[in-house]
């Protein structure tokens, strides 16, 4: 029995299966790691894996970055937690974020994870506008608390658990498979008509919450001008624009704040994931002063929200992004990565579309008839793991492999990954065509037998 098998055996009788740990792989292959460094992960038996998931973008600075580890130890030796009091680290981090923020006069509120930041933003919308609902988008993901779940359009959650619907939903542009059948070259943002209708006809909408690119649902980018149009609509209707940059911020799209890439200033920005370098759960709501002063002290927060340990580590985590030019690296290496993928897979019959910006790239797989290759993409993820590649699968049809490595990945590591990924794709593809061929041969045999 391997060490990993021993661990999985213990987990069988001790670990509940409600999160993603058991979701993506066959039971016996459930990934399990004991060590990480840069873009590499190691299992208990010493096997190495190339990490293309980066803790869902919570590790933009890579695994166990030495400066962030040192900062964690330093803060742990000094002050970890106080709860309902201030700390030097909390004030310094707030000042840093406020100065960096594209929103004028930004005030910052801290919490302990993405979903709680989303909940906080929804409360601010209610308090500031007096309206109870927000508009969210199809295929978006904002977390798994009941408030954030209530905006998640996966039927499983809403129907199974009867989560109340406190949102309206509009189309997120998905130009490769436009739900309205439009072509990108000739479309006039018809996907936004439903949004405009909602704003004209419903009078309880206080805000729009939007991801700068679809994250959990496959790295799909909106067309140019989308964010600006949202800003204009929010201004016309006197409602708030919330940019959920929990996954796409902090360099993932090549800029500290993703909204800056779209030349748009939202009213509220949400950050989490890599904010504390993947070392400690921390989220931040950044908002205009008059919005952030609307609720009374004590309304938002939780015991560990903005703990000195988290804030101290976050200051260093942001410094690493700044000092190591991770935003620029993300843009330059992302362009390189995308181009190399396009070159390598230009003749491939299953790779249908490569979308993305900077180091947030989605590779979409189709069957020869143009249908989403959902099962084959699942196989690519499974075979990838067996070959030492940790891959994430997403997209509305679960046929996109998301590529979100640490932003300090090197060109050599990208080249190595593409070589290994190509082998995995070819293996799955060959198996697919072999099965098709065998089925065709069987059909011919049956036909011949019928004709005898
Ligand atoms: C865009 C976005 N918002 C919110 C969340 C929820 O964050 P958390 O899992 O920390 O609650 C996620 C998580 O993946 C996310 O990608």
């Amino acid at each position: 029995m391997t060490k990993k098998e021993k661990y999985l055996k213990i987990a069988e009788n001790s670990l509940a299966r409600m999160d993603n740990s058991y979701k993506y792989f066959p039971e016996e292959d459930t990934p399990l790691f004991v060590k990480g460094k840069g873009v590499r992960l190691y299992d208990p038996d010493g096997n190495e894996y190339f990490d293309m998931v980066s803790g869902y973008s919570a590790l933009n600075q890579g695994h166990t970055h030495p400066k962030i580890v040192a900062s964690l130890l330093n803060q742990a030796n000094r002050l970890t937690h106080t709860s309902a009091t201030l700390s030097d680290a909390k004030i310094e981090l707030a000042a840093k974020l406020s100065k960096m923020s594209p929103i004028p006069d930004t005030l910052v509120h801290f919490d302990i994870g993405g979903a709680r930041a989303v909940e906080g933003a929804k409360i601010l919308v209610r308090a500031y506008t007096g309206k109870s609902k927000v508009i969210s988008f199809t295929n978006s993901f904002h977390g798994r608390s009941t408030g954030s779940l209530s905006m998640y359009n996966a039927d499983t959650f809403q129907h199974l658990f009867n989560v109340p619907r406190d949102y309206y939903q509009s189309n997120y542009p998905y130009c490769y498979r436009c739900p309205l059948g439009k072509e990108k070259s000739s479309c006039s943002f018809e996907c936004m008509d439903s949004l405009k209708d909602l704003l004209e006809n419903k009078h309880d909408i206080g805000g729009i919450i939007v991801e700068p690119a679809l994250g959990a649902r496959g790295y799909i980018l909106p067309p140019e001008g989308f964010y600006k149009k949202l800003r204009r609509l929010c201004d016309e209707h006197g409602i708030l624009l919330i940019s959920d940059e929990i996954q796409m911020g902090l360099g993932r799209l090549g800029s500290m704040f993703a909204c800056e890439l779209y030349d748009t200033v939202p009213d509220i920005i949400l950050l989490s994931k890599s904010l504390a370098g993947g070392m400690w759960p921390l989220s931040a709501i950044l908002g205009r002063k008059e919005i952030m002063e609307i609720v009374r002290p004590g309304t938002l927060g939780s015991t560990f929200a903005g703990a000195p340990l988290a804030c101290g580590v976050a200051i260093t985590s942001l410094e690493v992004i700044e000092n190591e030019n991770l935003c620029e690296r993300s843009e330059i290496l992302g362009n390189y990565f995308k181009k190399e993928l396009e070159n390598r897979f230009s003749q491939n019959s299953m790779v249908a579309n490569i979308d993305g910006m900077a180091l947030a790239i989605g590779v979409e797989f189709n069957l020869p008839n143009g249908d989403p290759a959902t099962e084959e993409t699942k196989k690519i993820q499974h075979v990838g793991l067996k070959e030492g590649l940790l891959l994430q699968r997403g997209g509305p049809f679960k046929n996109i492999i998301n590529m979100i490595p640490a932003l300090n990945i090197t060109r050599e590591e990208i080249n190595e990954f593409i070589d290994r990924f190509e082998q995995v794709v070819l293996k799955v593809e060959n198996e697919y065509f072999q099965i098709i061929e065998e089925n065709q041969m069987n059909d011919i045999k049956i036909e011949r037998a019928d004709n005898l």
Side-chain angles (χ1 to χ4, degrees), residues 212-223:
L214 292 183
R217 283 304 185 89
Y219 280 62
I220 296 168
L221 284 164

Side-chain angles (χ1 to χ4, degrees), residues 113-115 118 141-143 211 244 246-247 272-273:
V118 171
F141 181 74
H142 299 289
E211 286 181 86
D244 178 348
I246 286 166
Q247 182 153 169
S272 186
K273 295 199 184 275

Side-chain angles (χ1 to χ4, degrees), residues 92-108 257 286:
E92 280 170 27
L93 178 62
K96 188 167 178 58
L97 284 169
S98 174
K99 197 162 162 218
M100 290 161 69
S101 168
I103 302 172
D105 297 326
T106 292
L107 292 185
V108 184
F257 297 97
L286 281 58

Side-chain angles (χ1 to χ4, degrees), residues 39-102:
V39 293
R40 314 278 173 179
L41 280 165
Y42 301 86
D43 76 6
D45 302 294
N47 299 309
E48 186 183 285
Y49 293 80
F50 201 118
D51 185 5
M52 230 350 118
V53 182
S54 302
Y56 297 117
S57 204
L59 291 151
N60 288 359
Q61 303 90 339
H63 288 278
T64 56
H65 190 293
K67 289 205 170 108
I68 306 177
V69 172
S71 168
L72 181 84
L73 295 175
N74 179 36
Q75 187 66 46
N77 275 318
R78 205 157 60 79
L79 179 71
T80 56
H81 183 58
T82 58
S83 200
T85 63
L86 293 175
S87 68
D88 56 347
K90 188 174 181 175
I91 293 172
E92 280 170 27
L93 178 62
K96 188 167 178 58
L97 284 169
S98 174
K99 197 162 162 218
M100 290 161 69
S101 168

Side-chain angles (χ1 to χ4, degrees), residues 24-42:
Y24 295 107
F25 297 96
E27 176 96 23
E28 65 283 7
D29 291 337
T30 303
L32 188 169
F33 302 110
V34 295
K35 207 171 93 176
K37 186 85 205 141
V39 293
R40 314 278 173 179
L41 280 165
Y42 301 86

Side-chain angles (χ1 to χ4, degrees), residues 347-351 365-370 373 376 379 425-441:
Q347 301 301 317
N348 186 282
S349 55
M350 273 193 183
V351 174
F365 292 87
N366 276 1
L367 296 176
N369 67 1
E376 289 62 36
K379 278 188 194 152
V425 173
L426 290 177
K427 192 169 178 187
V428 172
E429 215 175 23
N430 288 341
E431 268 173 26
Y432 172 81
F433 285 113
Q434 209 173 324
I435 291 170
I436 296 280
E437 208 171 294
E438 277 167 18
N439 287 345
Q440 279 169 350
M441 293 303 286

